[in-house]
Each structure stands twice: as C-alpha cells, then as structure tokens.
Amino acid sequence: MKLVILDGGDVIPGLPWRQKVEGSRVTDIDYYDNTPAGLAVERMRGAQLVLTNKVVISAEMMDSLPDLKYIGVMATGYNVVDVKAAAGHGIVVSNIPAYSTDSVAQMTWAHILNIYNRVDYYARQNRDGRWCRSKSFCYYDSTIHELAGKVMGVVGLGNIGMKVAQIALAFGMKVLAVTSKPQDSLPEGIAAVRLETLLAQSDVVSLHLPLTASSREMINSGSLALMKPDAVLINTGRGGLVNERDLADALNEGRLAAFGADVLSCEPASPDNPLTGARNCYLTPHIAWASHEARSRLVDICKQNIRSFLDGNPINVVS
C-alpha cells in the first residue's frame, strides 16, 4: 500500500511519525511538508492512502485518482474534502476528533490571563529596563484584576467549551453558557442563557462553536453594543465568527477592553486585516491545537484510523 502525506509540515515536526504511521501493509510513504494545489493530483496519483491537513481534495481530483481508497484528514474539521464525492467514489474519509481539547482550552486561558494580569505589558516594560530603573521593589501603572467573582460567558459547550467553563469555575467565576444542552444536564455552576443575556452580563466572553451560516459574524456591531465596555472577548474557535472591522473599531474606540484570538477569517493573516494593528488586540498564529502532546495524539489517531481501515473496520468516518 502506498501512503502520501500531502502537508505534514504543520503537524508532524518533532514527532516520530514514520514509526507511528508505517506498518506491514504501508510499504511506501511519500511525505511532503506542503503541497501546492497544482501538484496535489500528481503527488496522489497511484496512492491508495492519503493524509491531508489543509490541502483541498475535490470531486474533480477524485475523478483522476482511481487507486485512491482512503483519505485521512489530519484535523477535526474535514471541510477540505468533498465527502459526498468521496462516498460516490467508494473512498473512506476519516478525521481526528477531540484530540486538542486540553491544548485549546489552555490557550484560551493563556489569552485571558495575559489580558487580566497584563503579562505581555509588564514583560515588555522589563525588557526595556524599566524594573531596573524603578525606585521601589515594584511598579504597577497598568491595572491587573482578579477573575474570582467575575462572569464568564462561554458560547458553545462542546468538549472545549465545557473544559473552559470548568476552569472558569475553578477560578471562582460565575459561568453563563449558550448551548443546546438542557439546563438539567449541565454541571452545577453553569447557567444556560440566551446569547443577548450572556453578552450583556459577561466580563469575559469566549467563543467555542463551529462556523456555520447562522454563526458567521455573530460578533458584529450589534452584538458588540450589548457588551460591557470593560469586557474581554476571546476567540479560539473560527475567525469567521467575528466581523473583524466591527471588532477593530470597538477596540480602537474603547467600546471593548481587549480581544485575544488564535484565529482570523483569512490565514495566514492579511497585512490589511484591521485586527493586526488594533488597540489591546492579542493574536497568536492558530497554534492553540499544536501542543506537542496534542500533535502526538493526532498522529496516534491517524495511525489507528489507517489500521482500522486496512482491517476492514474503519473508525472516525465522516464520509
């Protein structure tokens, strides 16, 4: 069996991936850090098994790949593959569910703690020698705040949203959630509310839901107007959940205290994205999922998916 890994460069570095993926029935592996769209079909030709992270595999491509039997998406989201076309070609498509819950929840709180404790601000001041020049043992001209007693709003209570909510409870926060789960199924301390209520009452709002027609740009000028001017917004979900121009305006005009995000609507970031230069905006480059431990789990699940497919009992199938 021949396996082609189209774009392992963002997933695999630093991991013993070959030992994890290859086996007695995977005898030939072609590995690429990245694959331009124009080279994808050529590189997949003759392969029975393909792994992709962000390289799109369309219906037209599948028409040219009669040997292809299995596509493994090295991510939870599988929109890069036309799964309907794959089913029509008899191609099994699998994904990697719930591998990065702890990693993304940790990054969510890294953003919150950075903003509330002003970590980036004081670290930059000290790199410039300010502490060395201080007349006292400390200085604090940028206010820090405690989380205890504040209201945390979690929009979307899937695996990651629930983890974020549980951490908020551990900090002594009150937790509001927008969720389809009934109130009697939620852990003690989490109250299900409408989005408008959550936005109006929360000191911190964190987005944890998929990008759909109904959720696209759910954070816009109207929803931002409902939020407290000293509130903090966090997005480790999908960049398209926010209207970036409306959000940048709110930050620059002091109608929102701060924004922390790991995602943007277009990635890599466009130089003219209004958030890249916005006031009190803290961006990380879509790395919340990418802890060493999470990537190790991802590769392990990839191997399990491939083995299960070759054994005739595919798992994590989305096609």
Side-chain angles (χ1 to χ4, degrees):
M1 286 278 191
K2 180 178 180 180
L3 168 67
V4 174
I5 303 174
L6 291 172
D7 53 346
D10 289 331
V11 177
I12 285 172
L15 301 176
W17 64 270
R18 186 172 290 274
Q19 298 94 309
K20 290 174 178 284
V21 173
E22 69 186 357
S24 58
R25 283 171 291 174
V26 179
T27 56
D28 186 9
I29 299 178
D30 287 350
Y31 170 86
Y32 303 95
D33 277 338
N34 296 284
T35 294
L39 293 179
V41 171
E42 177 185 336
R43 290 181 174 180
M44 288 187 285
R45 203 178 304 280
Q48 293 77 39
L49 314 169
V50 167
L51 295 180
T52 180
N53 180 234
K54 293 293 185 289
V55 176
V56 173
I57 303 179
S58 66
E60 292 74 20
M61 290 177 172
M62 296 176 204
D63 291 338
S64 303
L65 300 167
D67 297 314
L68 187 57
K69 303 300 179 186
Y70 171 83
I71 300 171
V73 181
M74 297 185 291
T76 301
Y78 50 88
N79 57 298
V80 295
V81 177
D82 188 329
V83 293
K84 183 176 180 180
H89 283 80
I91 300 170
V92 172
V93 182
S94 65
N95 74 334
I96 313 293
Y99 72 95
S100 63
T101 298
D102 289 339
S103 186
V104 177
Q106 180 174 309
M107 180 63 80
T108 299
W109 281 98
H111 274 287
I112 296 169
L113 291 170
N114 172 58
I115 291 167
Y116 262 72
N117 285 73
R118 308 296 287 136
V119 174
D120 176 68
Y121 170 79
Y122 284 110
R124 284 188 289 108
Q125 292 286 314
N126 290 342
R127 277 196 297 272
D128 291 338
R130 185 171 177 187
W131 199 5
C132 299
R133 299 189 299 270
S134 177
K135 296 179 180 180
S136 179
F137 76 97
C138 70
Y139 65 93
Y140 44 90
D141 59 349
S142 184
T143 306
I144 60 176
H145 293 278
E146 292 182 349
L147 290 166
K150 299 289 193 298
V151 178
M152 178 75 184
V154 180
V155 185
L157 272 185
N159 291 327
I160 296 171
M162 184 63 77
K163 187 79 173 185
V164 168
Q166 291 169 340
I167 296 170
L169 291 173
F171 271 112
M173 301 180 76
K174 176 183 177 181
V175 179
L176 305 179
V178 173
T179 177
S180 58
K181 296 179 172 69
Q183 180 63 60
D184 60 8
S185 71
L186 299 181
E188 184 178 354
I190 301 177
V193 297
R194 293 172 56 85
L195 178 62
E196 294 78 8
T197 301
L198 181 145
L199 293 174
Q201 296 185 9
S202 296
D203 299 295
V204 182
V205 174
S206 192
L207 306 178
H208 301 284
L209 68 171
L211 182 61
T212 64
S214 60
S215 66
R216 183 175 296 277
E217 296 192 357
M218 63 184 299
I219 301 300
N220 51 47
S221 58
S223 53
L224 287 164
L226 298 174
M227 297 180 66
K228 302 175 182 180
D230 60 351
V232 170
L233 177 66
I234 306 293
N235 185 14
T236 54
R238 292 290 182 264
L241 296 172
V242 307
N243 181 303
E244 291 168 340
R245 169 48 62 192
D246 289 353
L247 179 55
D249 288 345
L251 290 167
N252 291 331
E253 295 167 10
R255 292 183 282 111
L256 186 72
F259 176 57
D262 189 57
V263 288
L264 291 175
S265 61
C266 178
E267 297 170 350
S270 170
D272 61 358
N273 187 304
L275 288 174
T276 58
R279 172 181 172 272
N280 293 336
C281 181
Y282 304 89
L283 302 175
T284 47
H286 205 141
I287 54 171
W289 65 277
S291 67
H292 180 86
E293 292 81 2
R295 290 188 297 110
S296 294
R297 284 191 293 272
L298 185 154
V299 174
D300 285 341
I301 297 171
C302 271
K303 179 179 180 179
Q304 294 167 13
N305 285 349
I306 292 171
R307 282 186 170 179
S308 296
F309 168 75
L310 293 175
D311 288 341
N313 299 299
I315 59 174
N316 297 321
V317 175
V318 296
S319 57

